[in-house]
Amino acid sequence: MDGGEISDSRDKITKKRWGNGDIEFTSVTVEPKVPTEKDETLVIKASFKVHISDKESLFGMKVKNGVGTEMVGTNNKLLHLSSPSLKQGDSGEVVWRVPNILNNGDYSVDVAVIDPDDLSEMDWWEDAHSFSIIRDEHSPFVVEPHIIMEFKS
């Protein structure tokens, strides 16, 4: 899946997507489109539409590498953030800013929104968007954070 617009996916429960459809993601993007080592931050955006909701929701995401290893992820509970008050018909967007520590390679983004009371999935979308990191210089390590090294005598 490339994260493009979808229409009435509440009827499309697949191996990669499931949930009761109370809240539905409509698109997922990553900026910049082709991150390089010059980009310090990855911006992950997930647009959503509210079909049925009158309570707090738990929004989360994770980034996996090409072999499925979970590299980074979070949700509003882990970040101690309350979700906005959402009503039927509302649309919105969740934005995560993630330090670009990922090494050269292919990655995918999973997004989810669940009911924090009973942990039922409203929308869980695996591989909602895929992207590649291109680094001119890279190491054999899984992540490539900016590291400062110095010699002292």
Side-chain angles (χ1 to χ4, degrees):
M1 292 184 200
D2 66 355
E5 291 294 321
I6 57 173
S7 61
D8 200 15
S9 64
R10 297 179 70 199
D11 296 329
K12 299 178 185 175
I13 297 177
T14 68
K15 291 181 184 176
K16 299 258 181 184
R17 190 168 190 177
W18 61 91
N20 63 22
D22 289 358
I23 297 176
E24 172 187 34
F25 292 106
T26 56
S27 69
V28 177
T29 60
V30 174
E31 296 172 359
K33 287 187 178 190
V34 182
T36 68
E37 67 270 4
K38 294 178 180 128
D39 300 303
E40 293 181 8
T41 304
L42 302 175
V43 180
I44 299 169
K45 296 180 180 182
S47 297
F48 63 88
K49 175 93 172 143
V50 180
H51 296 288
I52 301 169
S53 185
D54 62 354
K55 55 186 160 191
E56 193 147 324
S57 303
L58 186 61
F59 286 87
M61 71 82 190
K62 65 181 165 187
V63 176
K64 302 179 297 192
N65 69 10
V67 296
T69 303
E70 297 172 350
M71 305 300 294
V72 297
T74 195
N75 62 51
N76 53 294
K77 183 176 180 180
L78 291 173
L79 296 173
H80 306 288
L81 296 172
S82 297
S83 66
S85 176
L86 301 171
K87 303 215 179 322
Q88 185 171 349
D90 287 351
S91 295
E93 184 176 67
V94 183
V95 179
W96 294 276
R97 290 175 185 12
V98 181
N100 182 11
I101 61 169
L102 302 174
N103 209 336
N104 241 28
D106 297 324
Y107 298 89
S108 65
V109 178
D110 296 358
V111 292
V113 56
I114 65 171
D115 182 323
D117 295 331
D118 65 11
L119 301 181
S120 61
E121 296 98 354
M122 294 186 229
D123 195 3
W124 193 298
W125 191 0
E126 285 189 358
D127 303 330
H129 186 81
S130 58
F131 65 100
S132 297
I133 301 277
I134 298 174
R135 292 183 178 272
D136 291 333
E137 296 179 20
H138 55 277
S139 71
F141 304 107
V142 176
V143 294
E144 184 102 4
H146 178 73
I147 297 174
I148 299 171
M149 178 178 165
E150 59 185 273
F151 292 99
K152 293 188 176 189
S153 53

